Short mmCIF file of all heavy atoms in Angstrom, two decimals:
data_model
loop_
_atom_site.label_atom_id
_atom_site.label_comp_id
_atom_site.label_asym_id
_atom_site.label_seq_id
_atom_site.Cartn_x
_atom_site.Cartn_y
_atom_site.Cartn_z
N GLN A 116 3.71 12.25 2.14
CA GLN A 116 3.11 12.54 0.84
C GLN A 116 3.80 11.81 -0.31
O GLN A 116 3.25 11.69 -1.38
CB GLN A 116 3.14 14.05 0.57
CG GLN A 116 4.51 14.63 0.24
CD GLN A 116 5.30 15.03 1.49
OE1 GLN A 116 5.02 14.57 2.58
NE2 GLN A 116 6.29 15.90 1.31
N ARG A 117 4.99 11.27 -0.04
CA ARG A 117 5.74 10.62 -1.11
C ARG A 117 5.38 9.16 -1.29
O ARG A 117 6.05 8.44 -2.02
CB ARG A 117 7.25 10.76 -0.85
CG ARG A 117 7.67 12.23 -0.85
CD ARG A 117 9.15 12.43 -0.51
NE ARG A 117 9.42 13.86 -0.27
CZ ARG A 117 10.30 14.32 0.62
NH1 ARG A 117 11.02 13.48 1.33
NH2 ARG A 117 10.47 15.61 0.79
N VAL A 118 4.33 8.71 -0.65
CA VAL A 118 3.87 7.33 -0.81
C VAL A 118 2.57 7.34 -1.61
O VAL A 118 1.58 7.94 -1.19
CB VAL A 118 3.64 6.64 0.54
CG1 VAL A 118 3.22 5.19 0.34
CG2 VAL A 118 4.91 6.71 1.39
N ILE A 119 2.59 6.69 -2.78
CA ILE A 119 1.42 6.64 -3.66
C ILE A 119 1.14 5.19 -4.02
O ILE A 119 1.88 4.29 -3.61
CB ILE A 119 1.64 7.49 -4.92
CG1 ILE A 119 2.82 6.95 -5.73
CG2 ILE A 119 1.88 8.96 -4.54
CD1 ILE A 119 3.04 7.66 -7.06
N ASN A 120 0.08 4.95 -4.79
CA ASN A 120 -0.25 3.56 -5.10
C ASN A 120 0.44 3.08 -6.38
O ASN A 120 1.11 3.86 -7.07
CB ASN A 120 -1.76 3.35 -5.14
CG ASN A 120 -2.43 4.12 -6.25
OD1 ASN A 120 -1.87 4.33 -7.33
ND2 ASN A 120 -3.65 4.57 -5.99
N SER A 121 0.29 1.81 -6.66
CA SER A 121 1.07 1.19 -7.74
C SER A 121 0.65 1.68 -9.11
O SER A 121 1.34 1.42 -10.09
CB SER A 121 0.94 -0.33 -7.67
OG SER A 121 -0.36 -0.71 -8.03
N GLN A 122 -0.48 2.37 -9.18
CA GLN A 122 -0.89 2.94 -10.45
C GLN A 122 -0.26 4.30 -10.69
O GLN A 122 -0.53 4.95 -11.69
CB GLN A 122 -2.41 3.09 -10.49
CG GLN A 122 -3.14 1.79 -10.23
CD GLN A 122 -4.63 2.04 -10.03
OE1 GLN A 122 -5.32 2.44 -10.95
NE2 GLN A 122 -5.11 1.82 -8.82
N GLY A 123 0.53 4.76 -9.75
CA GLY A 123 1.14 6.07 -9.87
C GLY A 123 0.22 7.19 -9.44
O GLY A 123 0.51 8.36 -9.68
N LYS A 124 -0.88 6.83 -8.79
CA LYS A 124 -1.84 7.84 -8.37
C LYS A 124 -1.86 8.02 -6.86
O LYS A 124 -1.45 7.13 -6.10
CB LYS A 124 -3.25 7.45 -8.82
CG LYS A 124 -3.45 7.49 -10.32
CD LYS A 124 -4.73 6.76 -10.62
CE LYS A 124 -5.55 7.40 -11.69
NZ LYS A 124 -6.78 6.64 -11.94
N ILE A 125 -2.41 9.15 -6.46
CA ILE A 125 -2.64 9.39 -5.03
C ILE A 125 -3.89 8.61 -4.64
O ILE A 125 -4.92 8.70 -5.30
CB ILE A 125 -2.83 10.89 -4.77
CG1 ILE A 125 -1.48 11.60 -4.95
CG2 ILE A 125 -3.39 11.13 -3.38
CD1 ILE A 125 -1.57 13.10 -4.88
N SER A 126 -3.78 7.83 -3.60
CA SER A 126 -4.91 7.01 -3.17
C SER A 126 -6.02 7.88 -2.58
O SER A 126 -5.75 8.94 -2.02
CB SER A 126 -4.46 5.98 -2.14
OG SER A 126 -3.63 5.03 -2.75
N ALA A 127 -7.25 7.39 -2.69
CA ALA A 127 -8.39 8.09 -2.09
C ALA A 127 -8.22 8.07 -0.59
O ALA A 127 -8.16 7.01 0.02
CB ALA A 127 -9.68 7.39 -2.50
N ARG A 128 -8.16 9.22 -0.01
CA ARG A 128 -7.92 9.31 1.43
C ARG A 128 -8.15 10.74 1.85
O ARG A 128 -8.07 11.65 1.05
CB ARG A 128 -6.49 8.92 1.75
CG ARG A 128 -5.45 9.62 0.91
CD ARG A 128 -4.08 9.47 1.51
NE ARG A 128 -4.02 10.08 2.81
CZ ARG A 128 -3.39 11.21 3.08
NH1 ARG A 128 -2.74 11.86 2.16
NH2 ARG A 128 -3.38 11.70 4.30
N PRO A 129 -8.44 10.96 3.13
CA PRO A 129 -8.57 12.34 3.59
C PRO A 129 -7.24 13.06 3.40
O PRO A 129 -6.20 12.50 3.71
CB PRO A 129 -8.93 12.20 5.07
CG PRO A 129 -8.78 10.76 5.42
CD PRO A 129 -8.69 9.97 4.18
N GLY A 130 -7.29 14.28 2.88
CA GLY A 130 -6.04 15.02 2.70
C GLY A 130 -5.36 14.75 1.38
O GLY A 130 -4.22 15.12 1.17
N ALA A 131 -6.07 14.10 0.46
CA ALA A 131 -5.47 13.78 -0.84
C ALA A 131 -5.09 15.06 -1.60
O ALA A 131 -4.06 15.09 -2.27
CB ALA A 131 -6.42 12.92 -1.66
N ASN A 132 -5.91 16.08 -1.50
CA ASN A 132 -5.60 17.34 -2.19
C ASN A 132 -4.31 17.95 -1.67
O ASN A 132 -3.49 18.43 -2.45
CB ASN A 132 -6.74 18.35 -2.00
CG ASN A 132 -8.00 17.91 -2.71
OD1 ASN A 132 -7.94 17.08 -3.63
ND2 ASN A 132 -9.13 18.44 -2.29
N ARG A 133 -4.17 17.93 -0.37
CA ARG A 133 -2.95 18.45 0.25
C ARG A 133 -1.73 17.65 -0.20
O ARG A 133 -0.66 18.20 -0.45
CB ARG A 133 -3.10 18.39 1.78
CG ARG A 133 -1.91 18.90 2.55
CD ARG A 133 -1.69 20.39 2.34
NE ARG A 133 -0.47 20.86 2.98
CZ ARG A 133 0.31 21.82 2.50
NH1 ARG A 133 0.01 22.39 1.35
NH2 ARG A 133 1.38 22.21 3.16
N GLN A 134 -1.91 16.35 -0.34
CA GLN A 134 -0.81 15.50 -0.78
C GLN A 134 -0.33 15.93 -2.17
O GLN A 134 0.87 16.06 -2.41
CB GLN A 134 -1.25 14.04 -0.79
CG GLN A 134 -0.11 13.08 -1.15
CD GLN A 134 -0.50 11.63 -0.97
OE1 GLN A 134 -1.66 11.31 -0.71
NE2 GLN A 134 0.47 10.74 -1.11
N ARG A 135 -1.28 16.17 -3.05
CA ARG A 135 -0.89 16.59 -4.41
C ARG A 135 -0.17 17.93 -4.39
O ARG A 135 0.82 18.13 -5.08
CB ARG A 135 -2.13 16.64 -5.31
CG ARG A 135 -1.78 17.18 -6.68
CD ARG A 135 -2.81 16.84 -7.73
NE ARG A 135 -2.43 17.49 -8.99
CZ ARG A 135 -2.79 17.06 -10.19
NH1 ARG A 135 -3.55 15.99 -10.30
NH2 ARG A 135 -2.39 17.69 -11.28
N GLU A 136 -0.69 18.84 -3.57
CA GLU A 136 -0.03 20.16 -3.45
C GLU A 136 1.42 20.01 -3.02
O GLU A 136 2.32 20.62 -3.61
CB GLU A 136 -0.75 21.01 -2.40
CG GLU A 136 -2.03 21.67 -2.86
CD GLU A 136 -2.74 22.41 -1.72
OE1 GLU A 136 -2.08 22.68 -0.67
OE2 GLU A 136 -3.92 22.69 -1.87
N LEU A 137 1.62 19.20 -2.00
CA LEU A 137 2.98 19.03 -1.47
C LEU A 137 3.91 18.45 -2.52
O LEU A 137 5.06 18.85 -2.65
CB LEU A 137 2.94 18.13 -0.22
CG LEU A 137 2.33 18.75 1.04
CD1 LEU A 137 2.12 17.70 2.10
CD2 LEU A 137 3.21 19.88 1.57
N LEU A 138 3.39 17.48 -3.28
CA LEU A 138 4.23 16.85 -4.30
C LEU A 138 4.55 17.83 -5.43
O LEU A 138 5.67 17.87 -5.94
CB LEU A 138 3.55 15.60 -4.85
CG LEU A 138 3.44 14.44 -3.84
CD1 LEU A 138 2.64 13.29 -4.42
CD2 LEU A 138 4.82 13.97 -3.41
N GLU A 139 3.55 18.64 -5.80
CA GLU A 139 3.80 19.63 -6.85
C GLU A 139 4.81 20.67 -6.39
O GLU A 139 5.63 21.14 -7.19
CB GLU A 139 2.48 20.29 -7.27
CG GLU A 139 1.61 19.32 -8.08
CD GLU A 139 0.26 19.91 -8.48
OE1 GLU A 139 -0.26 20.77 -7.74
OE2 GLU A 139 -0.26 19.49 -9.53
N GLU A 140 4.77 21.00 -5.10
CA GLU A 140 5.76 21.93 -4.56
C GLU A 140 7.17 21.36 -4.65
O GLU A 140 8.14 22.10 -4.68
CB GLU A 140 5.43 22.26 -3.10
CG GLU A 140 4.27 23.23 -2.93
CD GLU A 140 3.83 23.35 -1.47
OE1 GLU A 140 4.59 22.94 -0.58
OE2 GLU A 140 2.70 23.85 -1.25
N GLU A 141 7.26 20.03 -4.66
CA GLU A 141 8.57 19.40 -4.78
C GLU A 141 9.00 19.27 -6.24
O GLU A 141 10.03 18.69 -6.54
CB GLU A 141 8.54 17.99 -4.14
CG GLU A 141 8.29 18.03 -2.65
CD GLU A 141 8.40 16.66 -2.00
OE1 GLU A 141 8.84 15.70 -2.65
OE2 GLU A 141 8.04 16.55 -0.81
N GLY A 142 8.14 19.76 -7.15
CA GLY A 142 8.50 19.73 -8.57
C GLY A 142 8.01 18.52 -9.32
O GLY A 142 8.40 18.27 -10.46
N ILE A 143 7.14 17.73 -8.69
CA ILE A 143 6.63 16.53 -9.34
C ILE A 143 5.45 16.88 -10.23
O ILE A 143 4.54 17.62 -9.83
CB ILE A 143 6.23 15.49 -8.28
CG1 ILE A 143 7.50 14.97 -7.58
CG2 ILE A 143 5.45 14.35 -8.90
CD1 ILE A 143 7.24 14.08 -6.39
N LEU A 144 5.47 16.38 -11.45
CA LEU A 144 4.41 16.66 -12.42
C LEU A 144 3.44 15.51 -12.50
O LEU A 144 3.82 14.34 -12.40
CB LEU A 144 5.02 16.90 -13.80
CG LEU A 144 6.00 18.07 -13.91
CD1 LEU A 144 6.57 18.17 -15.32
CD2 LEU A 144 5.33 19.38 -13.51
N PHE A 145 2.15 15.84 -12.68
CA PHE A 145 1.09 14.84 -12.86
C PHE A 145 0.62 14.90 -14.30
O PHE A 145 0.59 15.97 -14.90
CB PHE A 145 -0.08 15.15 -11.93
CG PHE A 145 0.21 14.94 -10.47
CD1 PHE A 145 1.00 15.84 -9.76
CD2 PHE A 145 -0.32 13.87 -9.79
CE1 PHE A 145 1.27 15.66 -8.41
CE2 PHE A 145 -0.06 13.67 -8.44
CZ PHE A 145 0.74 14.57 -7.75
N ASP A 146 0.22 13.76 -14.85
CA ASP A 146 -0.37 13.79 -16.19
C ASP A 146 -1.85 14.15 -16.08
O ASP A 146 -2.37 14.38 -14.98
CB ASP A 146 -0.13 12.47 -16.94
CG ASP A 146 -0.96 11.31 -16.39
OD1 ASP A 146 -1.87 11.54 -15.56
OD2 ASP A 146 -0.68 10.16 -16.79
#
Side-chain angles (χ1 to χ4, degrees):
Chain A
Q116 73 273 20
R117 298 177 191 145
V118 182
I119 61 175
N120 64 33
S121 70
Q122 304 170 66
K124 292 166 141 179
I125 289 173
S126 292
R128 50 165 297 253
N132 292 340
R133 180 65 186 146
Q134 184 172 7
R135 175 161 176 154
E136 281 176 17
L137 289 169
L138 292 175
E139 288 178 331
E140 284 170 16
E141 295 186 10
I143 292 172
L144 299 178
F145 291 74
D146 71 11

